[in-house]
Every structure is written in C-alpha cells, then in structure tokens.
C-alpha cells in the first residue's frame, strides 16, 4: 500500500514536471519563432511572412541595405541620439538619486511619488504640448532638442533605479572620505558610483534600449530625412499598397539590433558581478 502511494506521488511529480517543461518549451518557441524568421528571411531571396528554410542562401539583402542612405547614416544618427541622451540620463539620475538616498527629508517621499507618476504618463499624451513648446523655443527638427526630450522621458525611472542601487552602498565609506576632506560630489564620483557599477550598468542598458527602439519621439520631433534615426527609417521598407521588402527588412533588423547586443555583451560581466563591497566596512 505504501509502495503504491509512493509510486503515485512520483508519477504525479513526473507529470507536473513534464507539464511545466512543455509550457516552458511553448513559451520558448513563441520567442524563438520571430527570431528564426528574421535570420532565415535575411538570407532568403524570396522571403515572406512564413518561417521557412530559404530556397537558396544569399547575401543580396545585406548588399542592398548596406548603403549610407539606408543604413549607415540612420545608425549613426541613432548612436548620436541614444548615446548622448543615455549619458545625460545617467549623469542626471546619479546627481538626483544621491540626495534622495543619503539625506532624509519630508519631501523625499512626495518627490519620489511624483517621479513614479511621471513614469506612467503615456508618451502620446504629452507629445502635442511638447511639439508646440519645441516650435516656440526653436528646438524642432534639431538633434539636441530630441536628445533633451529623450533624456527627460527616461529620467524618472532612471532615478528610481539609481536610488535603489545607491541605497545598497554603505554610508560609512563616504563618512570616512568626508573625514579625509572629500566633498559630497567627490565621494559620489570616487566611492559611490564605482561601488554600484552593476546598478549604473543596468540604468545605462535600460535607458539606451528604450531610446534605441523609440519610433514616435524622433518621428514627431525630427523633420529632415538626413537626421532620422534607424528606428524611423525602418519604416521605409513598408511600401505602398501593402508591399513589404521582407528580406531587406529582416537584414536591416539584424544590423539594427547589433549595437544593443554589443552594448549588453560589453557590460554583461558588470551586470553579474554584484557590488564590490566585500570587506569594505570591516575594521
């Protein structure tokens, strides 16, 4: 009797494990199929919406898109926009999160709640007044204006992330630096930020990725074709009357994704390294 009950329990656990594995495989397939379509279609001379093996492998799709007008200039514009805005976001988020993390005030909580509310505002709801403001201050169709708006739109959530990571750095380390004559800004730059390297990396990657894939903001604020980033120029592959160059679209998508993948690979070690605080506050 006991043996039968034990075998039933093992059978039940095995069934649940198989069901969980099947569910995970289904989710993995849902994510893998679009990636498979992009890779296969980029090498297919007759690509369409189906996920299928190419009739014949070709690099013609890449040869077609690898031109200054189609790929290189939009990618350069994207790097300038997103790179500059990410740098501005990280710097401003660090400066804003430092007093919120280190100093106690009655205004901290209302300020953080206001920031949290700002993150929930849909971008489409504020673009009309932003567009009117940019026209008034002569920032429409300028790279610097778009960079400023990119940074402003990502700053609220970046401050939240930066503060949470900054809370994990012991204040005793800064107090020791203050005793040696360091200012608050010096302790932030030389002590806090180096110790919260993974946090800075997370904020950097998150901000860059969100800006890199943003279509609506540059589409609204930039008017000159030579200033359009790759997130907007990808729309050129969708022609009139439903005609789409699927092979070229897939090839452009691979090239377009490369900078984000490279950025993640470059800082992936810092993301998994944790905070370098071992033994820092001993003795």
């Amino acid at each position: 009797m006991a043996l039968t009950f034990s075998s039933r329990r093992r059978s039940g656990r095995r069934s649940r494990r198989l069901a969980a594995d099947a569910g995970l495989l289904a989710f993995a397939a849902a994510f893998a199929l679009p990636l498979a379509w992009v890779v296969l279609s980029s090498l297919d001379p007759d690509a369409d919406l189906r996920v299928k093996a190419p009739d014949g492998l070709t690099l013609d799709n890449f040869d077609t898109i690898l031109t200054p007008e189609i790929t290189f200039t939009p990618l350069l514009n994207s790097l300038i926009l997103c790179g500059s805005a990410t740098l501005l976001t990280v710097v401003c988020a660090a400066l804003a999160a430092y007093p919120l993390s280190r100093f106690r005030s009655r205004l901290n909580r209302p300020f953080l709640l206001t920031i949290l509310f700002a993150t929930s505002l849909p971008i489409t709801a504020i673009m009309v007044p932003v567009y009117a403001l940019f026209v008034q201050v002569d920032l429409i169709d300028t790279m610097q204006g778009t960079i400023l708006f990119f940074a402003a739109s990502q700053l609220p959530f970046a401050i939240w992330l930066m503060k949470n990571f900054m809370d994990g750095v012991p204040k005793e380390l800064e107090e020791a630096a203050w005793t040696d004559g360091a200012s608050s800004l010096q302790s932030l730059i030389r002590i806090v930020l180096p110790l919260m390297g993974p946090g800075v990396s997370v904020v950097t990657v998150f901000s860059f990725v969100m800006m890199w894939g943003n279509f609506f903001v540059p589409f609204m604020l930039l008017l000159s074709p030579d200033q359009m980033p790759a997130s907007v120029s990808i729309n050129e592959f969708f022609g009139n009357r439903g005609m789409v160059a699927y092979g070229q679209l897939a090839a452009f998508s691979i090239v377009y994704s490369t900078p984000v993948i490279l950025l993640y690979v470059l800082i992936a070690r810092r993301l998994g390294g944790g905070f370098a605080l071992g033994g820092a506050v001993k003795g």
Side-chain angles (χ1 to χ4, degrees), residues 58-70:
T58 180
L59 295 177
D60 290 344
N61 293 322
F62 288 95
D63 291 337
T64 302
I65 67 162
L66 291 179
T67 63
E69 296 79 11
I70 298 177

Side-chain angles (χ1 to χ4, degrees), residues 179-197:
T179 303
D180 294 335
S183 64
S184 297
L185 182 60
Q186 289 174 330
S187 65
L188 170 64
I189 296 175
R190 298 180 181 179
I191 296 176
V192 177
L193 291 180
L195 290 176
M196 53 176 290

Side-chain angles (χ1 to χ4, degrees), residues 110-127:
F111 182 75
L112 288 172
L113 291 177
T114 302
I115 291 177
L116 183 62
F117 172 75
T119 62
S120 64
L121 291 175
I123 196 70
T124 53
I126 61 176
M127 280 309 299

Side-chain angles (χ1 to χ4, degrees), residues 41-101:
S41 297
S42 66
L43 302 174
D44 191 348
D46 301 313
D48 53 27
L49 285 175
R50 294 175 297 172
V51 179
K52 60 183 180 67
D55 298 330
L57 297 180
T58 180
L59 295 177
D60 290 344
N61 293 322
F62 288 95
D63 291 337
T64 302
I65 67 162
L66 291 179
T67 63
E69 296 79 11
I70 298 177
T71 300
F72 297 132
T73 299
L75 279 181
L76 179 60
N77 293 335
S78 291
L79 289 173
I80 294 173
L81 285 173
C82 300
S84 302
T86 299
L87 178 61
L88 184 60
T89 299
V90 172
V91 171
C92 292
L95 294 175
Y98 182 74
L100 293 172
S101 175

Side-chain angles (χ1 to χ4, degrees), residues 173 276-283:
L173 300 176
L277 301 178
V281 295
K282 291 183 179 180

Side-chain angles (χ1 to χ4, degrees), residues 72-205:
F72 297 132
T73 299
L75 279 181
L76 179 60
N77 293 335
S78 291
L79 289 173
I80 294 173
L81 285 173
C82 300
S84 302
T86 299
L87 178 61
L88 184 60
T89 299
V90 172
V91 171
C92 292
L95 294 175
Y98 182 74
L100 293 172
S101 175
R102 289 300 185 256
F103 304 107
R104 296 293 177 259
S105 171
R106 293 181 179 179
L107 298 178
N108 281 12
R109 182 175 176 81
F111 182 75
L112 288 172
L113 291 177
T114 302
I115 291 177
L116 183 62
F117 172 75
T119 62
S120 64
L121 291 175
I123 196 70
T124 53
I126 61 176
M127 280 309 299
V128 173
V130 166
Y131 185 89
L133 175 64
F134 273 40
V135 171
Q136 292 293 325
V137 298
D138 200 24
L139 284 177
I140 200 71
D141 196 28
T142 62
M143 298 287 280
Q144 59 268 27
T146 308
I147 289 171
L148 289 174
F149 185 77
F150 262 148
S153 63
Q154 294 301 319
L155 192 56
F157 198 73
I159 293 175
W160 264 91
L161 286 177
M162 194 74 75
K163 179 190 177 298
N164 290 333
F165 283 110
M166 201 170 289
D167 288 341
V169 179
K171 192 175 181 180
E172 290 80 1
L173 300 176
E174 291 181 85
E175 292 174 346
W178 295 339
T179 303
D180 294 335
S183 64
S184 297
L185 182 60
Q186 289 174 330
S187 65
L188 170 64
I189 296 175
R190 298 180 181 179
I191 296 176
V192 177
L193 291 180
L195 290 176
M196 53 176 290
V200 176
S201 300
V202 168
V203 175
T204 301
V205 171

